[in-house]
C-alpha cells in the first residue's frame, strides 16, 4: 500500500513544482483594473474579503498557471495583458515649478548643514567617549517626575518641542493639548478636528515655550505656524501657538497617518492610507508634491 502511494506523492510534488515554475514565467498586469477585468473574464470573483492588490495579482497568476498546465490558452492571456494595460499610464509624478524651487533651496540648505555637521563631529571626536558616559549616568538616574490624565479618549501621539519646554499630546477625541514640561501644567486645549487625530508635530524653529513654563502667544506673530495635526478624515491642519487654525491641508482621499516637519521648518510631510504621501508648503499651505508608488497604506 505504501509503495503504491509513493509514486502518487512524487507526482503531486512534481505537479506543484511545475505549477510554480509556470506561474513565475507568466506575466500579469500591474494595473489593478486590468487584473479585475481578467478575473471577471475567467469567471472568478474580482476580489475576495480582505484581499488587496498584491494578493489579487498572485491569485490571477495562479489561475493562469493552472489554465496553462491544462493547455487552455496562455498565449491569449499574454496578448490580453498587453492590450488591457493603458499605454499612456504614468508611473511617476510630474513636479511643479514650486517643487523645483523648493528642492533647489533644500539642496543648498542640506549641503550647508551637512558641512557644519562634519566639522562639528571632527571637533568633538575626542570627547565622544566622555560624553557617552555622561548620558549613561543620567539615564541611570531617570525617574518619573509627573503623571497626568491626558484625555477622555486614547492618546494617539505626543512630541516634545525642540526647546525642551513643551509637551504636546493628541487624542482620538480630535483634541490636542500643550503641557509645560517644568510642572506638567496644561497650557492649552484645542478642539482641532471632528474625528480622531492620527499624528501631530511641533515646528522645529518656532519655539513655543517662554522659558517660564508658559507659551509665547503674546510675543509670537499670530500667523506663525507652531503645530501641525493630521486627522482620520484625510485632512491636516497648521496651528498658531494660541490654537488658531492657519491652514487646512486637503487632498488625501483616505485617512491620514503620521505627519512631520522638515528640519528646516519650511515644509510638512503627511502620510496616508490612500497609498500616498504629500509634501506641503508650511507658509502657503499648498501641496508641493504627491508621491505615489506604495501598494498599501503609508503609515509614516
Amino acid at each position: 500500500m505504501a509503495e503504491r502511494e509513493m509514486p502518487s506523492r512524487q507526482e503531486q510534488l512534481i505537479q506543484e513544482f511545475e505549477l510554480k515554475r509556470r506561474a513565475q514565467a507568466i506575466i500579469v498586469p500591474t494595473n489593478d483594473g486590468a487584473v479585475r477585468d481578467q478575473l471577471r473574464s475567467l469567471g472568478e470573483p474580482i476580489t475576495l474579503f480582505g484581499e488587496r492588490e498584491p494578493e489579487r495579482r498572485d491569485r490571477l497568476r495562479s489561475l493562469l498557471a493552472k489554465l496553462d498546465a491544462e493547455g487552455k490558452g496562455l498565449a491569449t492571456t499574454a496578448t490580453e495583458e498587453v492590450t488591457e494595460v493603458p499605454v499612456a499610464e504614468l508611473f511617476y509624478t510630474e513636479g511643479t515649478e514650486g517643487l523645483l524651487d523648493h528642492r533647489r533651496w533644500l539642496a543648498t540648505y542640506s549641503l550647508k548643514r551637512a558641512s557644519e555637521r562634519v566639522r562639528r563631529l571632527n571637533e568633538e571626536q575626542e570627547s565622544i567617549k566622555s560624553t557617552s558616559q555622561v548620558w549613561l549616568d543620567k539615564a541611570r538616574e531617570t525617574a518619573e517626575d509627573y503623571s497626568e490624565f491626558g484625555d477622555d479618549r486614547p492618546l494617539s501621539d505626543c512630541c516634545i518641542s525642540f526647546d525642551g519646554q513643551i509637551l504636546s499630546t493628541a487624542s482620538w477625541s480630535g483634541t490636542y493639548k500643550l503641557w509645560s514640561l517644568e510642572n506638567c501644567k496644561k497650557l492649552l486645549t484645542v478642539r482641532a478636528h471632528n474625528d480622531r487625530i492620527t499624528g501631530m508635530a511641533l515646528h522645529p524653529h518656532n519655539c513655543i515655550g517662554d522659558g517660564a513654563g508658559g507659551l509665547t502667544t503674546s510675543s509670537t506673530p499670530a500667523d506663525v505656524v507652531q503645530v501641525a495635526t493630521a486627522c482620520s478624515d484625510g485632512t491636516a491642519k497648521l496651528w498658531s501657538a494660541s490654537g488658531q487654525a492657519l491652514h487646512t491641508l486637503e487632498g488625501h482621499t483616505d485617512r491620514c497617518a503620521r505627519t512631520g516637519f522638515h528640519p528646516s521648518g519650511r515644509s510638512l510631510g503627511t502620510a496616508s492610507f490612500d497609498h500616498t504621501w504629500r509634501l506641503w508648503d508650511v507658509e502657503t499651505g499648498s501641496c508641493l508634491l504627491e508621491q505615489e508608488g506604495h501598494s498599501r497604506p503609508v503609515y509614516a
Side-chain angles (χ1 to χ4, degrees), residues 222-238:
D223 60 346
V224 172
V225 173
Q226 304 274 24
V227 181
T229 57
C231 181
S232 59
D233 64 4
T235 65
K237 292 185 179 182
L238 301 176

Side-chain angles (χ1 to χ4, degrees), residues 46-165:
I46 62 173
T47 185
L48 301 178
F49 179 77
E51 185 180 56
R52 305 304 293 265
E53 290 87 345
E55 290 87 353
R56 194 152 38 245
R57 291 185 73 241
D58 291 340
R59 182 160 61 92
L60 175 60
R61 190 189 302 274
S62 299
L63 288 170
L64 294 178
K66 185 177 180 180
L67 291 174
D68 180 45
E70 297 172 357
K72 296 182 179 179
L74 178 62
T76 58
T77 302
T79 304
E80 290 173 0
E81 189 274 330
V82 173
T83 56
E84 291 182 5
V85 176
V87 177
E89 183 177 357
L90 298 177
F91 291 91
Y92 63 90
T93 303
E94 186 175 356
T96 62
E97 287 296 327
L99 177 62
L100 179 61
D101 293 338
H102 182 76
R103 282 179 169 171
R104 286 170 175 166
W105 177 89
L106 193 61
T108 304
Y109 172 85
S110 300
L111 289 172
K112 289 182 178 179
R113 280 175 59 93
S115 177
E116 176 62 24
R117 183 170 62 251
V118 171
R119 184 194 62 79
R120 187 175 65 253
L121 289 175
N122 288 335
E123 293 178 353
E124 297 176 353
Q125 190 68 31
E126 298 180 357
S127 61
I128 288 180
K129 292 184 178 180
S130 59
T131 303
S132 300
Q133 187 59 46
V134 170
W135 283 108
L136 286 174
D137 294 339
K138 289 184 178 180
R140 294 189 183 97
E141 299 173 358
T142 301
E144 179 182 317
D145 288 334
Y146 301 101
S147 179
E148 186 56 73
F149 186 74
D151 196 86
D152 295 334
R153 300 291 306 280
L155 298 180
S156 55
D157 202 1
C158 68
C159 55
I160 297 176
S161 63
F162 282 74
D163 58 8
Q165 300 182 43

